[in-house]
Amino acid sequence: MRKMILISGGLGYLGGRIAEHLLNSGFHVRIGSSRINPEIPLSLSSCEVVICDLSDKRSLENACKNVSSIIHLASLNAQECDHDPEAALLINGLGTLNLLNAAKKMGVTKFVYFSTAHVYGSPLQGIIDENSTPRPIHDYAITHRLAEDYVLQANSNKDITGSILRLTNSVGSPLNSKANCWMLVVNDLCKQTVLNQSMELHSDELVQRDFIPISTVCSTVVDVLTSDVLDGEIVNVSSGIVLTLRELTNLIADRSEVVLGFRPNINFKRLPKSKPLESLFISNSKLKSSGCIIDTDLSYEIDQLLLNCNQWFAQ
């Protein structure tokens, strides 16, 4: 009998891609969603979809029935947290505790929590590894940090085996155009490229970020589910490579030239700061030492994103 994996937020941007990958890897996937009568992408049509309301303990216990492992992705995004910090605390923080308690009651053995590298602070700068002191500033990062502590508490009490994945910036296409992901920088730039044959940014072109392909994130999830090496651990899911926004836009322009046949114009509206920005390095040595293979090439994911944007949004 195949193991049942519950993915909370499994119809979201990252959740959908992970669900699809787990299905293709032979797992039995149950998707937990807070939406009523949600639209199910074709590639996930074989999944069971259940209500997963992080404030409703009964719905959480129902979602956890006969589940061996949980991938917990459901949370408010950064903009939603800024708009309503109290809701962020209830959903990202208390909601995670509620799901942990339901998982414990229903006999779930493994809990994989997707956190964010932004728990280390803002802006991200300097050399960062898992021993760096978290200094979350924004409500999004603060509430994810709180949720991490609940996972660590449950793991320490031996209620469940918990692992925490601190993700940097995942790059790739959603399963459909309706995913709530078009505010993310790479997605926004690819959509701009298709709509305007240009990219416009209101940011300093020298800002550095760590980008990792979603395909690598998906394979990492499989490794965490099928191995005990990262049980009870906090681990950075990063590429270990940083790109400036200028380098990122040039990469997208290069890929557009290859897959769409034109090179978009690039326009930065904000001048670089006179004071140089501190360099950034987010270590992934812990992830590598666990045996995970980290593909850092963004080209394939950007190509698919450009092609899908062209299909979904081209005039």
Side-chain angles (χ1 to χ4, degrees):
M1 181 178 177
R2 293 183 299 170
K3 292 184 177 180
M4 172 74 78
I5 311 297
L6 170 66
I7 306 177
S8 73
L11 294 177
Y13 170 50
L14 184 56
R17 285 289 304 272
I18 291 174
E20 181 183 61
H21 185 81
L22 291 182
L23 280 175
N24 293 337
S25 300
F27 289 89
H28 190 186
V29 176
R30 176 182 295 163
I31 289 173
S33 175
S34 61
R35 307 176 202 172
I36 304 297
N37 298 321
E39 181 177 333
I40 312 299
L42 182 61
S43 63
L44 302 183
S45 58
S46 64
C47 293
E48 178 187 2
V49 180
V50 298
I51 292 295
C52 189
D53 182 345
L54 293 174
S55 65
D56 183 346
K57 297 177 182 179
R58 183 173 295 180
S59 86
L60 296 180
E61 290 174 8
N62 179 66
C64 289
K65 285 181 180 177
N66 303 316
V67 164
S68 63
S69 300
I70 294 174
I71 309 296
H72 182 33
L73 285 154
S75 69
L76 296 188
N77 65 30
Q79 291 80 6
E80 292 166 335
C81 291
D82 287 343
H83 178 71
D84 193 343
E86 290 187 6
L89 187 61
L90 290 173
I91 294 173
N92 297 2
L94 184 58
T96 298
L97 177 61
N98 289 340
L99 182 56
L100 281 163
N101 287 337
K104 174 188 174 183
K105 183 174 181 178
M106 303 308 296
V108 178
T109 57
K110 184 170 283 196
F111 193 99
V112 181
Y113 178 64
F114 266 89
S115 185
T116 170
H118 289 289
V119 299
Y120 292 115
S122 181
L124 290 171
Q125 55 189 2
I127 299 173
I128 296 171
D129 63 21
E130 291 84 355
N131 293 317
S132 301
T133 302
R135 290 188 172 88
I137 294 175
H138 302 297
D139 295 292
Y140 176 73
I142 290 169
T143 52
H144 273 289
R145 182 69 182 91
L146 172 61
E148 287 185 4
D149 283 342
Y150 283 135
V151 176
L152 293 175
Q153 178 192 55
N155 184 82
S156 178
N157 292 341
K158 302 188 185 306
D159 294 333
I160 198 167
T161 299
S163 300
I164 294 166
L165 307 183
R166 288 177 174 166
L167 182 62
T168 56
N169 300 277
S170 55
V171 174
S173 177
L175 296 183
N176 59 40
S177 63
K178 296 179 181 179
N180 183 23
C181 66
W182 300 107
M183 80 296 288
L184 301 174
V185 61
V186 178
N187 303 57
D188 176 45
L189 292 173
C190 288
K191 186 176 180 180
Q192 284 190 52
T193 295
V194 165
L195 290 177
N196 308 320
Q197 296 200 355
S198 66
M199 290 178 272
E200 181 175 295
L201 288 88
H202 296 266
S203 301
D204 184 339
E205 65 182 73
L206 298 181
V207 167
Q208 297 179 333
R209 294 185 183 178
D210 181 298
F211 296 97
I212 185 168
I214 285 184
S215 52
T216 298
V217 178
C218 292
S219 63
T220 297
V221 170
V222 173
D223 290 337
V224 174
L225 289 175
T226 56
S227 169
D228 60 3
V229 176
L230 293 175
D231 287 356
E233 297 289 336
I234 297 173
V235 60
N236 293 334
V237 180
S238 66
S239 68
I241 299 171
V242 295
L243 295 176
T244 65
L245 291 182
R246 170 60 70 179
E247 291 169 332
L248 174 67
T249 53
N250 285 338
L251 175 58
I252 293 172
D254 290 343
R255 300 317 303 168
S256 174
E257 204 163 18
V258 171
V259 301
L260 298 180
F262 68 88
R263 187 175 187 86
N265 296 318
I266 302 169
N267 184 14
F268 282 88
K269 292 293 189 179
R270 182 180 298 176
L271 294 174
K273 295 179 180 178
S274 56
K275 182 181 178 181
L277 297 170
E278 185 177 347
S279 61
L280 172 66
F281 173 69
I282 302 178
S283 172
N284 60 12
S285 60
K286 189 173 184 179
L287 187 63
K288 283 183 176 178
S289 66
S290 73
C292 293
I293 297 174
I294 304 171
D295 179 6
T296 60
D297 187 357
L298 301 174
S299 298
Y300 174 79
E301 290 289 358
I302 289 175
D303 288 355
Q304 296 307 305
L305 186 50
L306 285 167
L307 290 169
N308 283 338
C309 283
N310 193 54
Q311 177 184 341
W312 295 333
F313 305 120
Q315 299 297 324

